[in-house]
Amino acid sequence: MDKIDRLLVEALQSDSSRSIAELAEHVGTSTSGCHRRVKSLEAAGLIIGYSAVLDPHRLGLKLQAFVEITLNSQSREAMDRFEQAVGEFDDILECHLMSGNADYILRIAATDLEQFDRIHRECLSRLPGVSSMRSSFAIRTIKRWRGYPTK
C-alpha cells in the first residue's frame, strides 16, 4: 500500500458511506483512479467488507460481557465442535482463540443482567466441551475500535 492507499483506507474506516468522488477529493486523485484503487484493495483482500457502526447504548445494549471459556480438551475435533456451535448463536458477537489460561474469549452484549442470564442459560451453557466459564463485565468503554492502523 502506498500513501494514497493508506489515506483511502483510513477515510473508508472512518466513514465507509463516502462516495468515490468524495474519497477522490480527500486523497487528491481522479475519481476513476480512486475507483480503481478501491477495487484493487478489495480484490487483494485488504478491504473485506463495509459495515455500519452502531451505538450499543442507543440499541439498549448497556451490558458488555467478556466470557473466558476453557474446554475439556484442546483436540482439533473439540475445538472444531466448539467453534461451529459459537457460529450458530447470534448473541455471541465475537469469539477469539486465545493463548494463556482461557482457550477462548467471547464478547456478548445484553440489555441488562437478566438478559445476560438468559443468554448464559440458553446459549453459553449449550456450547459443547466447556469445562469452565468466567464472565467479566465492562464498566465503561474507554476506546472503541475504529479499524486497523495502516502504517
Side-chain angles (χ1 to χ4, degrees):
M1 288 196 336
D2 64 13
K3 182 180 178 181
I4 293 175
D5 289 340
R6 282 183 178 79
L7 288 170
L8 275 172
V9 169
E10 288 168 3
L12 286 167
Q13 285 184 129
S14 69
D15 182 3
S16 66
S17 68
R18 292 182 185 191
S19 70
I20 291 293
E22 290 172 313
L23 287 170
E25 183 177 333
H26 178 76
V27 301
T29 188
S30 69
T31 303
S32 60
C34 181
H35 186 260
R36 273 194 306 277
R37 282 177 177 271
V38 170
K39 290 300 177 192
S40 175
L41 291 165
E42 291 171 350
L46 290 167
I47 297 174
I48 59 172
Y50 300 90
S51 64
V53 178
L54 304 177
D55 182 337
H57 283 270
R58 290 184 187 241
L59 292 170
L61 300 171
K62 296 182 179 182
L63 184 112
Q64 297 287 315
F66 297 89
V67 182
E68 295 179 7
I69 302 286
T70 303
L71 298 182
N72 293 321
S73 166
Q74 284 74 37
S75 71
R76 182 175 181 91
E77 295 79 18
M79 294 171 76
D80 287 346
R81 278 192 304 276
F82 176 82
E83 291 170 12
Q84 182 177 355
V86 162
E88 295 172 10
F89 292 104
D90 291 338
D91 289 315
I92 299 172
L93 303 179
E94 295 178 11
C95 175
H96 302 272
L97 177 62
M98 304 299 293
S99 65
N101 292 332
D103 294 317
Y104 294 91
I105 291 184
L106 310 179
R107 186 169 71 88
I108 311 288
T111 55
D112 53 27
L113 280 172
E114 290 173 25
Q115 186 186 28
F116 180 78
D117 180 51
R118 181 195 59 76
I119 292 167
H120 189 278
R121 291 170 185 268
E122 296 176 10
C123 169
L124 301 177
S125 67
R126 294 174 149 179
L127 294 171
V130 174
S131 69
S132 69
M133 210 180 299
R134 189 172 78 188
S135 300
S136 299
F137 301 98
I139 296 169
R140 180 169 47 104
T141 300
I142 308 304
K143 181 179 178 183
R144 189 170 308 282
W145 183 77
R146 291 285 183 215
Y148 291 103
T150 59
K151 297 173 185 148

